Amino acid sequence: MLSERQRMILSAIVDDYIRSAEPVGSRSISKRGDVTFSPATIRNEMADLEEMGLLEQPHTSAGRIPSIKGYRYYVDNLVTLDGVHDQDVRKIRTFFAEKMNHWEGVIGHASTILSQLTNYTSIVLGPEMFSTTLKHFQLVPINDASAVAIIVTNTGHVEHRTIAVPDGISMDDMNKVVNLLNDKLAGVPFYRIKSVLHSEVANELSRYVDHCEDILSILENTITEEQEPKVFLSGASNMLTQPEFKDVDKAKNILGILEETQILMRLFESTPEGIQVKIGTENTLAAINQCSLITATYTIDGQSLGTIGILGPTRMEYRKVISLLDYLSKDIALLMSRWYK
Amino acid sequence: MLSERQRMILSAIVDDYIRSAEPVGSRSISKRGDVTFSPATIRNEMADLEEMGLLEQPHTSAGRIPSIKGYRYYVDNLVTLDGVHDQDVRKIRTFFAEKMNHWEGVIGHASTILSQLTNYTSIVLGPEMFSTTLKHFQLVPINDASAVAIIVTNTGHVEHRTIAVPDGISMDDMNKVVNLLNDKLAGVPFYRIKSVLHSEVANELSRYVDHCEDILSILENTITEEQEPKVFLSGASNMLTQPEFKDVDKAKNILGILEETQILMRLFESTPEGIQVKIGTENTLAAINQCSLITATYTIDGQSLGTIGILGPTRMEYRKVISLLDYLSKDIALLMSRWYK
DNA sequence: ATTAGCACTCAATTGGAATGAGTGCTAATG
DNA sequence: CATTAGCACTCATTCCAATTGAGTGCTAAT
């Protein structure tokens, strides 16, 4: 649909604008070298591209900037992945060289690297449990009043949490409860555990143990809370380096959003496997309509575990970020496969 | 050293400046009602106060603003605590009404409340372990390759972490290791565990078990990492609402700092018990020389557990923040005493 | 089909005048 | 003698008009 020349010009404009954050004029394109036409010719093409909705003009006597649609075309058709820069690879290597023996380490480090290498904000979701089932549940008493609940999933993922034990519950009762839970809940997907707890377990439990409501509510909290993936955020202040957020109010809006884990998670709802680019208003959340979000899932044995993402202005270095996310998501999968066998 | 009238005027200037963030003129003070002198008189007194270093003038024809020394005098001598506002108390109540069965919940909520009620940034440190000793160590095997390490301190505090178990370590070996560790390390303060591990445990361990270096290094990591208190941050974006940070560069500086947990912790090094106010350059960290940090420790049975703090511009609502921190630190102690018996 | 040339647009910059909040000093006042 | 009214002075801020310059669209020439 676009001529080769138009594609070249569009590409040049997007590239230039990504670099400079200033509207791009016909003259500067002509001088770049890779497009050998005169400014006048380029102007004509630009007018056409604008008519197609790929470019827009802030005001009559300014250069052009890419529209959302323009970025979309650029990302879908013009971005050539040139791989990750050598020095970036080296930096990732040294970062991950440190021996890590829990997944939070890997995910946390990944988040830090991403923001450092891109100068954007990185958002990383830990292993999700939506598609995961309970494999094993264990309670380790610590003292009269508290115990550690350990939850093992079918993926080999382990979560733990200290819980308060209500007064008047004996060790014996505990064991009964734990056994019953393992019987009933093993193999049940997490998102269904809450209802199973109420429908099947509650009745049976009341036969064996007093105070069962207390125990149930605690378990319910513990298990359902763990269901939520943990969110790691890094480089939020990088937003402020972008000229589009030199207006403090805009910046505050976005940074405020970034502080609300709940909202962040909604951003990642229904991210498909592989790499996804959401540009400006393509994001459902109005507050980040000036931003682009690029996400990549990390998978082991074809199963999607979690998501890493970069949030930046729509004027984002798509080429670099996409390459990097692709590389890193595979790296994370590799590193984490140790715990998932 | 200051006359009553000078104290009134200084107090009025600080209050006004805290409210408006604009230099305060003699006329506006005179019109407030509580200082009944004419602008001319007030001007004379202001000149004196400036000479004493309590006030300063941005430029010749502007009003006065408090100097660091002025704030200091204000905080030390002029702040009257009027307690926490009723509606704030209610808000805290509803926030804490939710049943919480792990300390992260309490601390995390406290952080959120603080930033919401003050519109500043809150920094909260979880229970410290510097003055804490190991009470009990436990390893719960999950599968061949991993186990959960549970660490109980003398304060009743519980930490846990999943660790990877090196190949070729049997359950039996494990138990031996755990028993040995409990023998040797129970009662040892955390900050000394690392050295004890090397000096006393390493030798002995090598007699019983192969691969002991692997195990040791993992344990060392696990234990020493837990030693660091967890940092909770909330309302960082509130910084941007302050006119002193309308300059994006300044804002980025501070927000950048806030993202670095290591640095944040250094801010809290050696916070004395009770409430402490550090104004502007009184902070050792140059990056926050435009800020004031107010901290309060929460203690149980006279033992200091952790610290809650508010970071804001030097032009901070000291009265309100100090009252609030005082109130909340006691509240946290109360809530947490459940787990510390 | 391409491009040189030209008139036109409009945001951004510049500089100088007007504004006004606030001061310091002096002399008058109770 | 402490207080205050009065006044000249300072200086950041605001306002406005003129200038600048990057960039466009159109037309005619190549």
Side-chain angles (χ1 to χ4, degrees):
Chain A
M1 184 157 156
L2 289 194
S3 72
E4 189 52 35
R5 194 167 69 185
Q6 285 174 322
R7 291 157 58 98
M8 281 175 63
I9 291 175
L10 178 57
S11 179
I13 290 177
V14 176
D15 282 342
D16 252 37
Y17 186 65
I18 284 176
R19 215 178 16 78
S20 68
E22 311 255 290
V24 183
S26 53
R27 226 175 105 76
S28 59
I29 297 275
S30 171
K31 277 195 297 192
R32 275 171 46 119
D34 53 347
V35 181
T36 55
F37 300 91
S38 77
T41 311
I42 294 173
R43 276 205 290 282
N44 288 330
E45 296 287 26
M46 294 205 300
D48 290 349
L49 288 170
E50 182 171 0
E51 209 167 330
M52 291 184 236
L54 297 172
L55 295 179
E56 39 196 48
Q57 219 173 0
H59 57 87
T60 327
S61 70
R64 302 301 210 291
I65 63 176
S67 67
I68 303 289
K69 208 171 151 192
Y71 283 123
R72 172 52 59 196
Y73 188 92
Y74 175 83
V75 168
D76 288 344
N77 304 295
L78 304 176
V79 162
T80 55
L81 295 189
D82 32 41
V84 181
H85 201 297
D86 266 1
Q87 76 185 54
D88 287 357
V89 171
R90 250 175 285 131
K91 209 160 180 183
I92 294 174
R93 284 289 135 264
T94 51
F95 238 92
F96 277 146
E98 192 185 320
K99 198 171 184 183
M100 276 167 289
N101 41 30
H102 49 290
W103 65 264
E104 285 93 339
V106 176
I107 295 296
H109 273 76
S111 182
T112 312
I113 292 176
L114 274 177
S115 68
Q116 283 190 9
L117 292 185
T118 60
N119 275 310
Y120 300 121
T121 304
S122 82
I123 308 170
V124 173
L125 260 60
E128 302 204 35
M129 297 207 158
F130 291 105
S131 55
T132 316
T133 64
L134 178 71
K135 183 175 166 196
H136 187 62
F137 178 77
Q138 202 165 343
L139 264 189
V140 183
I142 299 300
N143 56 36
D144 293 350
S146 54
V148 175
I150 302 176
I151 297 164
V152 187
T153 73
N154 64 335
T155 56
H157 192 84
V158 182
E159 286 288 339
H160 21 79
R161 161 152 307 178
T162 314
I163 63 174
V165 179
D167 289 343
I169 303 280
S170 71
M171 181 90 70
D172 227 37
D173 289 343
M174 277 295 196
N175 286 331
K176 279 186 202 159
V177 173
V178 171
N179 287 335
L180 182 64
L181 286 177
N182 275 316
D183 265 12
K184 293 291 182 184
L185 297 182
V188 174
F190 271 82
Y191 71 93
R192 287 201 54 228
I193 279 192
K194 209 166 173 174
S195 65
V196 174
L197 262 183
H198 282 291
S199 62
E200 297 190 30
V201 180
N203 279 338
E204 198 132 355
L205 196 59
S206 59
R207 270 186 249 160
Y208 295 96
V209 195
D210 295 339
H211 303 287
C212 70
E213 327 77 44
D214 282 354
I215 298 183
L216 269 184
S217 80
I218 289 178
L219 291 178
E220 197 179 307
N221 278 340
T222 310
I223 291 178
T224 54
E225 269 178 39
E226 293 306 348
Q227 182 179 338
E228 298 180 357
K230 312 258 168 28
V231 180
F232 290 74
L233 188 72
S234 188
S237 63
N238 286 344
M239 280 291 175
L240 297 178
T241 57
Q242 304 299 337
E244 23 272 280
F245 300 113
K246 70 176 192 307
D247 174 15
V248 179
D249 282 338
K250 273 187 202 158
K252 169 157 165 68
N253 246 328
I254 299 230
L255 290 189
I257 293 280
L258 292 180
E259 285 188 308
E260 307 208 41
T261 313
Q262 298 304 320
I263 297 182
L264 279 191
M265 279 178 35
R266 240 192 301 147
L267 275 185
F268 281 75
E269 252 170 21
S270 72
T271 34
E273 296 215 356
I275 294 201
Q276 193 198 32
V277 182
K278 287 222 166 196
I279 301 165
T281 50
E282 292 174 8
N283 289 293
T284 44
L285 189 62
I288 60 162
N289 274 350
Q290 309 236 23
C291 294
S292 282
L293 176 67
I294 309 184
T295 55
T297 51
Y298 51 94
T299 61
I300 294 180
D301 294 340
Q303 191 185 9
S304 165
L305 287 179
T307 311
I308 64 180
I310 290 284
L311 186 71
T314 47
R315 184 188 61 78
M316 193 194 267
E317 288 192 65
Y318 293 98
R319 209 187 302 272
K320 177 176 179 180
V321 171
I322 292 174
S323 304
L324 187 60
L325 282 179
D326 182 49
Y327 180 88
L328 205 60
S329 62
K330 284 166 188 157
D331 224 28
I332 291 175
L334 208 63
L335 280 166
M336 294 192 59
S337 61
R338 264 194 287 168
W339 300 295
Y340 289 74
K341 20 189 151 187
Chain B
M1 181 159 159
L2 289 194
S3 73
E4 187 54 35
R5 192 167 70 185
Q6 284 173 322
R7 292 158 58 97
M8 281 174 64
I9 291 175
L10 177 58
S11 178
I13 290 176
V14 176
D15 282 341
D16 252 37
Y17 185 66
I18 285 177
R19 216 179 16 78
S20 68
E22 311 256 290
V24 183
S26 53
R27 228 176 102 76
S28 59
I29 297 275
S30 171
K31 276 196 297 193
R32 274 171 48 118
D34 53 346
V35 181
T36 54
F37 299 91
S38 80
T41 311
I42 294 173
R43 275 205 290 282
N44 288 330
E45 295 286 28
M46 293 203 302
D48 290 350
L49 288 169
E50 182 171 357
E51 209 166 330
M52 288 184 239
L54 297 172
L55 295 179
E56 40 195 46
Q57 219 173 359
H59 56 88
T60 327
S61 70
R64 302 301 207 293
I65 63 177
S67 67
I68 304 289
K69 207 172 152 194
Y71 283 122
R72 173 52 59 197
Y73 189 91
Y74 174 84
V75 168
D76 287 345
N77 303 295
L78 303 176
V79 162
T80 55
L81 295 188
D82 31 43
V84 181
H85 201 297
D86 268 1
Q87 76 187 53
D88 287 357
V89 171
R90 251 176 283 132
K91 209 160 178 183
I92 294 174
R93 284 289 134 261
T94 50
F95 238 91
F96 277 146
E98 192 186 319
K99 198 172 183 181
M100 277 167 290
N101 39 32
H102 49 292
W103 66 264
E104 284 94 341
V106 176
I107 294 296
H109 273 75
S111 182
T112 313
I113 292 176
L114 274 177
S115 69
Q116 283 190 8
L117 292 185
T118 60
N119 275 310
Y120 299 122
T121 303
S122 81
I123 307 170
V124 174
L125 260 60
E128 303 202 36
M129 296 208 161
F130 291 105
S131 55
T132 317
T133 63
L134 178 70
K135 183 177 166 193
H136 186 64
F137 178 75
Q138 202 166 342
L139 262 189
V140 182
I142 299 301
N143 56 36
D144 292 351
S146 54
V148 174
I150 301 175
I151 297 164
V152 187
T153 72
N154 64 334
T155 56
H157 193 84
V158 182
E159 287 287 341
H160 20 77
R161 160 153 307 179
T162 312
I163 63 175
V165 179
D167 290 343
I169 302 280
S170 71
M171 181 90 67
D172 227 36
D173 287 345
M174 279 295 195
N175 285 331
K176 279 186 203 156
V177 173
V178 169
N179 287 335
L180 182 65
L181 286 176
N182 274 316
D183 265 12
K184 293 289 182 187
L185 297 181
V188 174
F190 271 82
Y191 71 93
R192 288 202 50 228
I193 280 193
K194 209 166 172 174
S195 66
V196 174
L197 261 182
H198 283 291
S199 63
E200 298 191 28
V201 179
N203 280 338
E204 196 132 358
L205 196 59
S206 59
R207 268 186 251 159
Y208 295 97
V209 194
D210 294 340
H211 302 286
C212 70
E213 327 76 43
D214 284 352
I215 299 184
L216 269 185
S217 80
I218 289 178
L219 291 178
E220 197 178 306
N221 278 340
T222 310
I223 291 180
T224 54
E225 270 178 37
E226 293 307 347
Q227 183 179 337
E228 298 180 357
K230 311 260 168 28
V231 180
F232 290 74
L233 188 73
S234 188
S237 64
N238 287 342
M239 279 292 175
L240 297 178
T241 57
Q242 304 298 338
E244 24 271 278
F245 300 114
K246 71 176 192 307
D247 174 14
V248 179
D249 282 339
K250 272 187 203 161
K252 168 156 167 69
N253 246 327
I254 299 230
L255 290 188
I257 292 279
L258 292 181
E259 286 188 307
E260 306 208 42
T261 313
Q262 298 304 321
I263 297 181
L264 280 191
M265 278 178 34
R266 241 193 297 148
L267 276 185
F268 282 73
E269 252 169 19
S270 72
T271 34
E273 295 216 356
I275 293 201
Q276 192 199 32
V277 182
K278 287 223 168 196
I279 301 166
T281 50
E282 292 173 9
N283 289 293
T284 44
L285 189 61
I288 61 162
N289 274 350
Q290 309 237 20
C291 294
S292 282
L293 176 67
I294 309 185
T295 56
T297 51
Y298 52 94
T299 62
I300 294 179
D301 294 338
Q303 191 185 7
S304 164
L305 288 179
T307 312
I308 63 181
I310 290 284
L311 186 72
T314 46
R315 184 187 60 79
M316 194 195 268
E317 290 192 64
Y318 293 97
R319 208 187 302 272
K320 177 176 179 179
V321 172
I322 292 174
S323 303
L324 188 60
L325 282 179
D326 182 50
Y327 181 89
L328 206 61
S329 62
K330 284 167 187 158
D331 224 28
I332 291 174
L334 208 63
L335 280 165
M336 294 191 59
S337 62
R338 264 194 287 169
W339 300 295
Y340 289 75
K341 17 188 150 190

